[in-house]
Amino acid sequence: MNRAVRKLIVPGSIVATIVLLVLLAPVLPLADVRGMDIPHRFAPPSGAHWLGQDEFGRDVLARLIWGGRASLFIAVGSALAAAVIGTTLGLLGGYFRGAVEIVTVRASEIVLCLPPLLLALLVVTILGAGTWPLILALTILYTPNYARVIYAATLQVRSLDFVTAQRAMGTHPLLILWRTILPNVMPPLLVQMSLVVASAMVIESGLSFLGLGVVPPTPSWGLMIRAARGAMELAPMLLVWPSLALAGTILTFNLLCDRLQSVLDPRATTAGGALWLRNPRPRTRRAATPVPRQEQAPAPLLDIRGLAISVDGGRQSMGLVENVSLSLQPGETLALVGESGSGKTLTGLAMTGLLPDSLSITGGTADFAPRDGAPIDLCQLDEQGFRALRGNEISMVFQDASAALNPVLRIGDQVAEAIRAHHSPSDADCDAAVVDLLRHVGIPDPERRMRAYPHELSGGQRQRAMIAVAIANNPRLLIADEPTTALDPTIQAQILQLFRKLKDDTPEMGMIFVTHDLAVVAEIADRVTVMYAGQVVEDGPVSEVFARPRHPYTAALIASVPEGGAERLVAIPGTVPTPNAMPPGCRFAPRCGHARPECTLAPPPVDTPAPGRRSRCIRWKEVT
Amino acid sequence: MFDTSPPPLIEAVGLGRNFETRHGLFGQRRDVWAVRDVSLSLARGETVGIVGESGCGKSTLGRMMLGLEAPTTGTVRFDGRDLSDYSGAARRKLARRMQMVFQDPFGSLDPRRSVGAQIADGLKTHSIVPPEAVQAEVTRLIEQVDLPAAAAQRRPHEFSGGQRQRIAVARALATRPDFIVADEPVSALDVSIQAQVVNLLMDLRRDLDLAMLFISHDLHVVRHLCTRIAVMYLGRIVEEGPADQVFGTPAHPYTRALLAATPSLHPRQQAAADRILPGELPSPANPPSGCPFRTRCPIAEDACAASVPAYRDMAPGWRSACIKPGPAAGGPR
């Protein structure tokens, strides 16, 4: 039994107990629900009457169970009936749209125009009080709720690729609805179901309370509450029992639906909860301590040694980045290249202190040389220390500008925000600086465009605006994480040109360019660091590495770029290993065409094939 | 337009798609043509690449060629018969012969059903094999895309992006189609995985004699995979022809700009600014008069604004919509 199903046990067994109890009511040795015993009215619990007796001396426990039978039957029955009808309407309306939508979803919405109580009264008045009219009334009442929710979910799902694929396959539309769309709209359906059952129970109680539902002396929870209210001062417990039953049943149903929903979701991670709850340990980071360093020329701007980043797992921590060392000179552009899962982005984020909460730096040093003062070890820096550096000395450009810019703030204000975080210029100076920056990054008509919102700019211009935010305070180190990946070729060329211009204009600024695109590396970088599965596998000047890679992975990566006239592309077989299943020895060995048994024995050491170059391969001499 | 044999399997004539939007207080209609006057044909065994930037209408064109979207103007003919002639069951039956592979390997598979069941859908819908042979056929398809047979039992989330894309290919192949539209099938994949999928598509094209419409913004991949290429800009094909000619000696200035803008492992030793196209794609709601590219074109002149340039044949099977076609002197290549 897997973890997901285990989660169903508790709510499932409670619901089963409740259902069993009310189903077995006729055979259980219960007292007669109508048997009055006036002398013992309001008697407290006793051996014969476990929950006491009510205002007519009737047994409360028996009435509670029989009442549950009525209440549950009405609530669950109407919730299910409404679910079937409403879901059908919603699916049809959402999938076919047009005229079908009008006769299904829109038509059912007419019901929403009527006050719910009025509608119920209407039905009950026409058909008379009783269980079945009540179920009918509640079904009519709740159908549009389902229809609307399912309609909205269907609209969302129908445009997904896997539905289009079914259509392209020639599957019958009704089969698509049943087989593909219905399972994928289950989560909102279940949420809606739990809400409706709860709400139907309350309304049933309310209507019975008004005398429109279940007819006395047949018990229902609503009737019991109604009766007990009159005697609240005399016997408060009479009110408590049915209320408790009602509340408990509703909560159990909600729980069951929630659990069911997570069980039905194949992607559900069973470990749940907010990040801050999962990670109670405060981060033990010491305050910034200046690291003394012997003078050597030229001093690097950033010197990372043995950086390690791990997930704080419950049982064991899992290394995502291990023993990464690299250095960056002022004015140099370093490309950090690798496939997804190589740890390149995490390395970049670690240098800005922006790692997700579940990750932490577990080893190594990263000495950063600020404008003035001694080098700072970024691996030991606390959040306050980072705040002083971020946006000022170290800046970051993200891949997706539309997500990284605040949609409700004007572009100019966002640039100004970056300036004001570290300086306090007058309004006029700040505006002038913003206009200068926007012009500098190539946004036309900056005086006007500074008042535009992000959605009013094109993708390329948003990227420019984000770069303006990043360089607002002339950072010493600019980290760009896939800044051109989401852009079209001609726009990408423009943005790359902008980065080249920034390099020329600010010769002191170092840049780390995180990318997976080798061609972009060739266009922009001076040095390249190739990462694979959390490790640096090769490092060196771009021209040398591309001309003569010294690691089989780099060679394979270059060969797999579809450029040049090769008949077949060189594909690297297999996939990147996951962090919890790292191969022993060389991490690339399982996919490497040159692997030998000795490659899998021990992690290969870093070798130096030439001055300024590194390779993590024991066979580089023979195979490259 | 093309007299060359073999006869086309699928043929689009004057295809256009207008996404009408309503604006303003009184809901004035405004035409937004995503695709306009596109004619294109594919023969069996041929792979045609559609290249262009986002918003140029290449995906809409692909969906219309597949009949997933109804064209506003023009017709799509499959095996000589108009797609709009088919309806209901006949149309669904025709779907067997045309399949699609999508860009997003995470969105194109139903997360709630096993991979084997999704591949089997097509087999069952069109009774490709007898019911008792479905399992064996699913296994054969999964192995055809280089995945272990045990993969059939698992759900999509257990696979990596590259593996999912192979599953999507297997699903498309299940109905033994004649025509496949691949909409950016490798854009979301890592470089090394991209090569795996491109090689797979090349093998399948050879083995199954498929006609394939390969939509991509990656010129290198297109050049590698396609026999013919159509370059789109703002809903129109601006150049179309054999891959070697279009990429070797591009006739349209946009093709030249696109080629120059694409980053290369071997950056050209040319002043970078010269090959960067200024500005951005105009809004399809408000296209320029005349040639759609004239607002960004380095060689535009007054005549370009007069009317949409007619196609000129550069060579048999190679056309370009520019009044000054041909490799520009001193061009980037």
Side-chain angles (χ1 to χ4, degrees):
Chain A
M1 193 188 324
N2 62 32
R3 259 176 98 173
V5 177
R6 273 208 303 279
K7 290 171 73 177
L8 280 178
I9 293 178
V10 173
S13 48
I14 301 178
V15 168
T17 313
I18 296 174
V19 170
L20 220 63
L21 215 55
V22 301
L23 282 182
L24 293 180
V27 290
L28 288 176
L30 293 172
D32 181 10
V33 287
R34 295 172 196 196
M36 296 196 214
D37 183 10
I38 304 294
H40 292 106
R41 58 198 298 251
F42 301 124
S46 63
H49 307 282
W50 291 358
L51 295 182
Q53 289 163 281
D54 71 359
E55 72 276 17
F56 294 110
R58 296 174 298 199
D59 182 57
V60 174
L61 181 64
R63 287 184 66 80
L64 206 58
I65 291 175
W66 278 97
R69 200 177 155 94
S71 294
L72 278 176
F73 181 63
I74 291 168
V76 176
S78 58
L80 282 178
V84 171
I85 301 170
T87 303
T88 310
L89 295 180
L91 281 174
L92 292 174
Y95 186 75
F96 292 105
R97 311 288 310 269
V100 181
E101 182 184 326
I102 293 171
V103 299
T104 55
V105 181
R106 302 286 163 241
S108 76
E109 279 170 4
I110 295 170
V111 174
L112 290 178
C113 306
L114 305 168
L117 216 53
L118 200 69
L119 187 82
L121 283 173
L122 197 72
V123 174
V124 173
T125 317
I126 296 170
L127 297 177
T131 307
W132 290 107
L134 199 55
I135 289 183
L136 180 67
L138 291 175
T139 304
I140 295 175
L141 203 58
Y142 288 117
T143 297
N145 290 16
Y146 283 106
R148 282 188 65 93
V149 167
I150 297 304
Y151 168 72
T154 306
L155 281 187
Q156 228 169 39
V157 174
R158 78 190 280 271
S159 58
L160 293 179
D161 284 348
F162 59 85
V163 178
T164 313
Q166 289 282 341
R167 281 173 57 207
M169 202 177 275
T171 310
H172 195 279
L174 294 180
L175 189 57
I176 298 181
L177 281 178
W178 172 252
R179 193 170 64 186
T180 306
I181 296 187
L182 182 62
N184 281 293
V185 298
M186 252 334 175
L189 180 62
L190 284 170
V191 172
Q192 186 64 24
M193 183 96 100
S194 68
L195 291 176
V196 165
V197 169
S199 152
M201 282 186 139
V202 173
I203 291 218
E204 180 276 323
S205 305
L207 288 175
S208 297
F209 182 83
L210 292 176
L212 294 167
V214 182
V215 189
T218 308
S220 89
W221 290 345
L223 284 176
M224 290 175 74
I225 293 173
R226 174 193 184 188
R229 206 188 60 139
M232 213 153 52
E233 289 88 12
L234 274 170
M237 289 314 280
L238 286 186
L239 191 62
V240 171
W241 299 125
S243 306
L244 219 53
L246 190 65
T249 312
I250 289 171
L251 288 178
T252 314
F253 266 103
N254 287 358
L255 188 65
L256 181 70
C257 285
D258 281 355
R259 294 280 169 90
L260 208 58
Q261 187 189 339
S262 72
V263 170
L264 286 179
D265 188 349
R267 292 155 298 186
T269 46
T270 35
L275 271 178
W276 56 272
L277 279 174
R278 262 187 276 154
N279 187 18
R281 270 180 300 143
R283 260 198 262 177
T284 49
R285 280 221 189 136
R286 278 165 284 157
T289 42
V291 185
R293 116 185 318 281
Q294 60 264 43
E295 278 310 311
Q296 55 181 63
L301 177 66
L302 179 68
D303 190 15
I304 304 178
R305 283 172 197 277
L307 176 73
I309 301 173
S310 307
V311 191
D312 306 332
R315 284 153 297 181
Q316 82 268 28
S317 70
M318 202 156 64
L320 298 180
V321 169
E322 267 173 34
N323 199 11
V324 165
S325 300
L326 52 90
S327 75
L328 179 73
Q329 301 294 330
E332 193 178 38
T333 299
L334 174 80
L336 212 52
V337 67
E339 298 178 81
S340 35
S342 64
K344 56 188 195 300
T345 297
L346 289 182
T347 306
L349 287 175
M351 293 305 103
T352 47
L354 293 174
L355 281 178
D357 280 346
S358 54
L359 307 183
S360 58
I361 297 176
T362 46
T365 60
D367 293 341
F368 171 73
R371 273 191 205 96
D372 25 52
I376 300 169
D377 183 359
L378 297 178
C379 290
Q380 305 290 349
L381 200 60
D382 58 5
E383 176 59 23
Q384 202 179 349
F386 266 119
R387 243 191 329 259
L389 288 183
R390 270 198 303 253
N392 189 16
E393 304 250 5
I394 303 177
S395 276
M396 187 129 189
V397 175
F398 297 92
Q399 171 174 352
D400 186 359
S402 50
L405 291 172
N406 185 341
V408 298
L409 270 188
R410 295 173 201 276
I411 292 295
D413 292 343
Q414 302 196 44
V415 180
E417 209 173 51
I419 299 174
R420 289 185 193 281
H422 299 280
H423 303 278
S424 31
S426 67
D427 283 358
D429 286 353
C430 192
D431 275 2
V434 169
V435 170
D436 277 352
L437 275 165
L438 292 180
R439 184 174 292 125
H440 189 66
V441 297
I443 291 184
D445 197 4
E447 288 86 354
R448 210 164 54 83
R449 282 306 173 105
M450 67 184 284
R451 279 190 291 278
Y453 288 98
H455 73 267
E456 295 171 311
L457 302 181
S458 66
Q461 296 207 340
R462 275 201 291 267
Q463 201 68 23
R464 289 174 191 272
M466 188 164 62
I467 293 170
V469 172
I471 62 164
N473 296 308
N474 295 313
R476 300 251 302 156
L477 173 61
L478 184 66
I479 300 174
D481 186 6
E482 305 258 14
T484 62
T485 304
L487 303 174
D488 279 317
T490 59
I491 308 300
Q492 181 182 45
Q494 292 175 2
I495 299 293
L496 284 177
Q497 173 67 9
L498 172 61
F499 275 108
R500 269 188 226 108
K501 178 173 164 243
L502 291 179
K503 272 172 72 173
D504 294 345
D505 293 353
T506 46
E508 281 302 288
M509 185 176 75
M511 190 149 69
I512 295 182
F513 212 90
V514 179
T515 182
H516 71 278
D517 190 339
L518 292 173
V520 167
V521 174
E523 298 266 345
I524 189 100
D526 306 314
R527 290 177 62 83
V528 59
T529 297
V530 184
M531 290 187 71
Y532 182 77
Q535 294 180 328
V536 173
V537 293
E538 178 160 12
D539 182 79
V542 169
S543 53
E544 290 179 31
V545 171
F546 280 18
R548 185 149 191 215
R550 289 300 202 172
H551 191 285
Y553 175 64
T554 318
L557 212 52
I558 292 172
S560 67
V561 173
E563 210 175 313
E567 179 51 33
R568 266 185 92 73
L569 295 179
V570 181
I572 307 178
T575 49
V576 180
T578 52
N580 53 10
M582 282 295 175
C586 174
R587 292 182 171 182
F588 185 57
R591 301 176 71 192
C592 182
H594 304 290
R596 291 286 157 81
E598 60 264 35
C599 292
T600 59
L601 294 179
V606 177
D607 211 346
T608 314
R613 293 196 63 177
R614 288 183 288 162
S615 168
R616 193 187 285 274
C617 178
I618 54 173
R619 301 190 65 216
W620 65 263
K621 282 198 189 86
E622 306 152 56
V623 301
T624 58
Chain B
M1 195 165 302
F2 298 108
D3 311 315
T4 46
S5 54
L9 173 72
I10 185 154
E11 193 177 14
V13 182
L15 220 50
R17 180 74 172 95
N18 181 14
F19 291 99
E20 224 170 58
T21 56
R22 288 178 184 275
H23 274 265
L25 196 57
F26 303 105
Q28 291 98 335
R29 282 188 197 175
R30 188 193 276 182
D31 290 348
V32 180
W33 287 90
V35 173
R36 227 169 169 174
D37 284 336
V38 167
S39 298
L40 190 69
S41 63
L42 279 89
R44 273 176 199 280
E46 193 178 36
T47 304
V48 174
I50 304 280
V51 176
E53 299 182 86
S54 36
C56 74
K58 54 189 193 298
S59 288
T60 309
L61 175 64
R63 292 170 66 92
M64 285 194 292
M65 299 275 280
L66 212 56
L68 286 173
E69 194 129 17
T72 313
T73 65
T75 55
V76 178
R77 275 204 292 274
F78 187 81
D79 236 0
R81 207 175 143 194
D82 198 332
L83 278 189
S84 59
D85 289 352
Y86 295 89
S87 65
R91 176 69 192 83
R92 285 199 293 276
K93 205 164 163 230
L94 184 68
R96 180 193 74 74
R97 304 182 59 191
M98 322 160 86
Q99 287 296 311
M100 183 151 183
V101 178
F102 298 86
Q103 170 174 9
D104 176 14
F106 292 88
S108 64
L109 298 173
D110 187 342
R112 287 167 192 274
R113 300 175 61 218
S114 77
V115 162
Q118 297 191 49
I119 295 175
D121 282 348
L123 297 173
K124 291 175 183 163
T125 304
H126 298 288
S127 311
I128 306 286
V129 291
E132 63 275 10
V134 164
Q135 277 317 311
E137 178 69 5
V138 167
T139 307
R140 188 188 71 79
L141 285 161
I142 287 178
E143 282 169 353
Q144 188 174 22
V145 295
D146 299 326
L147 287 173
Q153 317 306 326
R154 297 197 267 156
R155 304 252 183 106
H157 68 109
E158 296 174 53
F159 297 92
S160 69
Q163 291 170 324
R164 283 156 166 260
Q165 207 58 300
R166 289 147 182 269
I167 294 165
V169 171
R171 179 181 59 185
L173 292 178
T175 61
R176 307 196 181 154
D178 302 317
F179 173 52
I180 284 191
V181 173
D183 190 356
E184 305 253 14
V186 298
S187 307
L189 306 177
D190 273 317
V191 189
S192 71
I193 308 298
Q194 219 176 49
Q196 293 175 2
V197 176
V198 169
N199 282 342
L200 173 69
L201 290 175
M202 287 177 75
D203 291 346
L204 294 174
R205 179 187 62 189
R206 188 193 59 219
D207 298 346
L208 306 176
D209 200 26
L210 288 169
M212 187 167 11
L213 193 70
F214 187 89
I215 301 169
S216 179
H217 69 269
D218 186 334
L219 295 169
H220 293 309
V221 172
V222 170
R223 182 179 202 172
H224 200 85
L225 192 67
C226 300
T227 41
R228 257 188 323 128
I229 284 163
V231 182
M232 286 187 75
Y233 188 83
L234 214 62
R236 292 174 193 272
I237 290 181
V238 295
E239 180 166 2
E240 189 216 331
D244 291 343
Q245 265 100 330
V246 173
F247 278 157
T249 52
H252 196 280
Y254 177 64
T255 315
R256 285 199 291 275
L258 207 53
L259 279 169
T262 307
S264 162
L265 280 186
H266 315 285
R268 292 162 290 276
Q269 301 302 315
Q270 198 192 357
D274 287 357
R275 55 192 175 86
I276 289 175
L277 204 58
E280 298 178 0
L281 199 71
S283 159
N286 188 17
S289 65
C291 172
F293 185 56
R294 69 177 173 83
T295 50
R296 299 171 76 192
C297 183
I299 55 167
E301 52 188 53
D302 292 345
C304 296
S307 65
V308 179
Y311 290 111
R312 297 182 181 202
D313 284 341
M314 307 299 296
W318 180 17
R319 59 187 172 137
S320 161
C322 181
I323 58 170
K324 292 192 288 185
R333 292 237 164 176

